[in-house]
Amino acid sequence: GAGVSQSPRYKVAKRGQDVALRCDPISGHVSLFWYQQALGQGPEFLTYFQNEAQLDKSGLPSDRFFAERPEGSVSTLKIQRTQQEDSAVYLCASSAGGLAGYEQYFGPGTRLTVT
Amino acid sequence: AQKVTQAQTEISVVEKEDVTLDCVYETRDTTYYLFWYKQPPSGELVFLIRRNSFDEQNEISGRYSWNFQKSTSSFNFTITASQVVDSAVYFCALSEAYFGNEKLTFGTGTRLTIIP
């Protein structure tokens, strides 16, 4: 079966541009997560959804970051007015969960470079 | 607040040697989950194991084994007879178990290089 997919795999944006990153979770997975991974660091939590409900957005670094999952499947992470510090790999994960403890399956990530 | 510490930034061993990756965690919860993930050069995180806080039995899966000790808040990972394909960055992660909180808190990772 298909795993988690993300698009685009690479994105170069000029400072100030808006970007949209897409995540297709594993079919039927209830929970969807976004993480940010800076070079040489572990993934850092951004936000997560159970179905279409955004239950936790405590990790979003600023109000320039916005995520949605309107129909409880595909999710989009949008970054407005990109800054150089937004350069990172953005990872999406999904789990069958709805409860803590389910393993999360990760996509290949989108590498965002802001110039 | 929860925290995961992987003190070993990089480890290099010669192929066929055994190697242990350390993980120490902090949490105020009595119920929590611990995970190990592997991130090969391709970049995609691969799930290896999950442990809940009530199960302190060690686990072995082929060449991999995990040692969970609540008394020292550690969840260490050992690879026996290492192979070149084990070269990757390994992350330990923690999830506290209450409704509405499924997020993982990761350590900074240990880069393992197996020298042929």
Side-chain angles (χ1 to χ4, degrees):
Chain A
V4 178
S5 60
Q6 293 185 247
S7 61
R9 291 292 311 279
Y10 303 91
K11 178 70 179 177
V12 178
K14 291 188 176 178
R15 185 179 168 191
Q17 281 185 333
D18 297 349
V19 299
L21 312 180
R22 177 187 168 107
C23 173
D24 284 82
I26 293 172
S27 178
H29 274 193
V30 169
S31 298
L32 184 147
F33 306 80
W34 286 98
Y35 294 86
Q36 180 189 60
Q37 187 175 21
L39 192 62
Q41 299 296 314
E44 297 265 352
F45 170 79
L46 294 176
T47 186
Y48 104 96
F49 296 83
Q50 269 192 25
N51 298 304
E52 68 277 6
Q54 189 173 21
L55 294 192
D56 187 349
K57 53 182 181 179
S58 62
L60 296 175
S62 78
D63 58 8
R64 296 186 295 105
F65 286 71
F66 171 75
E68 59 184 5
R69 193 187 186 199
E71 295 177 358
S73 57
V74 170
S75 176
T76 303
L77 176 67
K78 298 178 179 177
I79 309 174
Q80 297 177 324
R81 303 181 305 281
T82 52
Q83 304 293 315
Q84 280 195 319
E85 60 263 28
D86 300 334
S87 295
V89 175
Y90 290 86
L91 298 170
C92 177
S94 71
S95 78
L99 294 173
Y102 281 85
E103 58 266 34
Q104 296 179 19
Y105 295 91
F106 283 80
T110 295
R111 182 178 297 278
L112 173 65
T113 303
V114 181
T115 61
Chain B
Q2 52 192 15
K3 184 179 178 183
V4 176
T5 301
Q6 295 181 256
Q8 304 152 308
T9 306
E10 295 191 30
I11 300 175
S12 294
V13 300
V14 176
E15 194 173 17
K16 297 183 184 175
E17 287 186 351
D18 300 346
V19 58
T20 296
L21 310 182
D22 297 334
C23 172
V24 174
Y25 62 91
E26 296 175 30
T27 177
R28 288 177 291 188
D29 280 0
T30 56
T31 303
Y32 51 88
Y33 296 86
L34 295 164
F35 301 79
W36 276 94
Y37 282 84
K38 174 182 181 179
Q39 190 171 44
S42 61
E44 196 158 331
L45 281 158
V46 177
F47 166 77
L48 295 178
I49 191 171
R50 173 191 61 227
R51 243 322 165 242
N52 75 54
S53 53
F54 297 110
D55 183 359
E56 286 193 72
Q57 280 195 346
N58 293 334
E59 178 150 346
I60 298 174
S61 175
R63 296 184 297 107
Y64 295 172
S65 63
W66 290 270
N67 181 266
F68 175 30
Q69 293 198 340
K70 287 178 75 170
S71 60
T72 55
S73 297
S74 65
F75 185 42
N76 297 338
F77 172 31
T78 297
I79 301 175
T80 303
S82 60
Q83 299 177 1
V84 172
V85 293
D86 296 327
S87 295
V89 180
Y90 290 85
F91 291 97
C92 181
L94 167 69
S95 175
E96 292 174 335
Y98 55 87
F99 176 76
N101 180 38
E102 299 177 55
K103 67 183 178 186
L104 294 176
T105 297
F106 285 86
T108 50
T110 298
R111 180 176 298 278
L112 176 64
T113 301
I114 309 300
I115 304 165

